[in-house]
Amino acid sequence: MGITVIVGVLLLVGLCMGSFSGAMVWRLRARQLIDDKAAGEKVEAGELKRLKPLTEQGMATDRSRCLHCGHILNWYDLLPLASWMSTGGKCRYCHEKIGVFEPLIEIGTALFFISSFVFWPEPLYTATQITSFVLWLIAGVMLAILFAYDARWFLLPNRVVFPLIALSAVMAIIHVVTSTDVASALFSVLMAVVILSGVYFLLWIISKGRWIGFGDVKLGLALALMLADWRLAFIALFAANVVGCLIVIPGMLAGKITRKTHVPFGPLLICGCVIAGLFGDRILGWYFSMFL
Ligand SMILES: [Zn+2]
């Protein structure tokens, strides 16, 4: 198969998976509101009313609806990116603006799929190598959901985090059992967990949950297992901080971010993990050739 064909397929699959992620984000939000309300917490009545229909049918039969008018959408309204562009970002039925949330998730997921293939650090010949790559892509879809959800509502839903931890554990096991030195590979995975999850766990305990949420601790565990290498875990943490500074410092200078602004760690950690997973080996190679 030619490279162009593979990239084209990954673009289309990435857009569709992004569309799926966007739909999942709203369903998760609806379920969260229902759970919160059941737990006696205050929820916005308007938001709950608008999103509730999303949870009333089973996943398989559920057709997506317009979040404003509730119109059940046709197949041509559900084409990733294309339907959004054809209507200028408005609902075809009530002409309400849909917003850039959905297309951004779709583009982001497609870019993740393509760059994962283009920059994948391992060869893709054996069944194990291809399996690891596909599991990485599936994990990426879950990360897209978590990224969008946390960026919008400062929360990492367990309904996604727990399956991601299970998937990451499988990735870590494959990594360990196929490595030449099983003992040191296992040690490396454990150290990665200490670096990515342990640090957040400590911060969570020290701050009694004020600086970071426990969701970040669980996400850190998943990402550590995904990367399965303590050096990559370190790069992920470092890259997350760099990306954070690149966003926070200009925001502070522009006066849009103050000390009180809530900055979600999830999206930063996810960025750090993707950078480490795709470029970590190259960054390490470059670092060692410079300083050793
Ligand atoms: Zn509508």
Side-chain angles (χ1 to χ4, degrees):
M1 234 193 311
I3 299 282
T4 344
V5 177
I6 299 176
V7 170
V9 169
L10 286 172
L11 171 69
L12 288 178
V13 176
L15 283 174
C16 291
M17 284 293 127
S19 175
F20 166 78
S21 303
M24 280 300 289
V25 166
W26 289 112
R27 285 193 179 81
L28 285 163
R29 179 61 185 164
R31 289 196 182 279
Q32 182 73 43
L33 290 173
I34 291 167
D35 289 354
D36 284 357
K37 200 176 175 214
E41 283 178 46
K42 241 181 101 116
V43 299
E44 227 187 285
E47 195 188 8
L48 180 62
K49 190 166 173 268
R50 210 153 50 81
L51 297 183
K52 210 173 172 203
L54 290 176
T55 64
E56 278 167 3
Q57 282 160 300
M59 281 307 243
T61 55
D62 191 6
R63 306 284 309 273
S64 287
R65 291 159 179 270
C66 169
L67 292 170
H68 294 281
C69 63
H71 197 290
I72 294 178
L73 301 176
N74 277 308
W75 64 269
Y76 50 80
D77 300 314
L78 296 169
L79 294 177
L81 214 54
S83 43
W84 189 85
M85 291 200 314
S86 74
T87 58
K90 286 177 188 153
C91 170
R92 202 182 302 278
Y93 308 98
C94 67
H95 304 289
E96 191 76 38
K97 267 208 180 319
I98 299 170
V100 291
F101 192 62
E102 275 79 14
L104 279 182
I105 300 175
E106 288 161 5
I107 293 170
T109 311
L111 281 178
F112 169 81
F113 270 50
I114 293 170
S115 49
S116 290
F117 175 70
V118 172
F119 299 111
W120 192 245
E122 304 280 330
L124 288 169
Y125 298 124
T126 68
T128 317
Q129 288 164 345
I130 293 170
T131 305
S132 296
F133 178 67
V134 172
L135 292 181
W136 165 268
L137 293 184
I138 297 171
V141 175
M142 296 185 183
L143 291 178
I145 297 170
L146 291 174
F147 187 107
Y149 201 103
D150 198 28
R152 206 169 166 125
W153 294 293
F154 308 109
L155 195 83
L156 296 159
N158 283 338
R159 282 192 175 90
V160 183
V161 173
F162 288 151
L164 179 65
I165 291 174
L167 177 66
S168 307
V170 173
M171 293 169 80
I173 290 167
I174 292 176
H175 179 83
V176 169
V177 297
T178 56
S179 59
T180 44
D181 184 350
V182 171
S184 69
L186 191 61
F187 179 73
S188 191
V189 171
L190 293 177
M191 286 308 291
V193 170
V194 169
I195 291 169
L196 268 179
S197 195
V199 169
Y200 281 91
F201 185 60
L202 267 183
L203 286 173
W204 180 75
I205 288 187
I206 293 170
S207 73
K208 296 188 178 76
R210 269 178 296 127
W211 300 337
I212 56 161
F214 197 66
D216 297 310
V217 180
K218 288 178 284 187
L219 177 65
L221 172 64
L223 299 182
L225 291 171
M226 246 178 107
L227 294 170
D229 183 312
W230 72 269
R231 292 163 306 173
L232 296 184
F234 187 77
I235 289 178
L237 200 59
F238 184 75
N241 282 296
V242 172
V243 174
C245 290
L246 289 177
I247 294 168
V248 168
I249 292 173
M252 277 178 136
L253 292 176
K256 280 187 182 154
I257 295 179
T258 66
R259 292 194 58 146
K260 285 197 175 139
T261 309
H262 193 134
V263 179
F265 281 101
L268 298 178
L269 264 181
I270 290 167
C271 284
C273 172
V274 173
I275 291 170
L278 297 181
F279 305 103
D281 285 341
R282 270 163 275 222
I283 295 171
L284 285 171
W286 170 79
Y287 180 84
F288 285 124
S289 69
M290 287 275 287
F291 298 104
L292 293 178

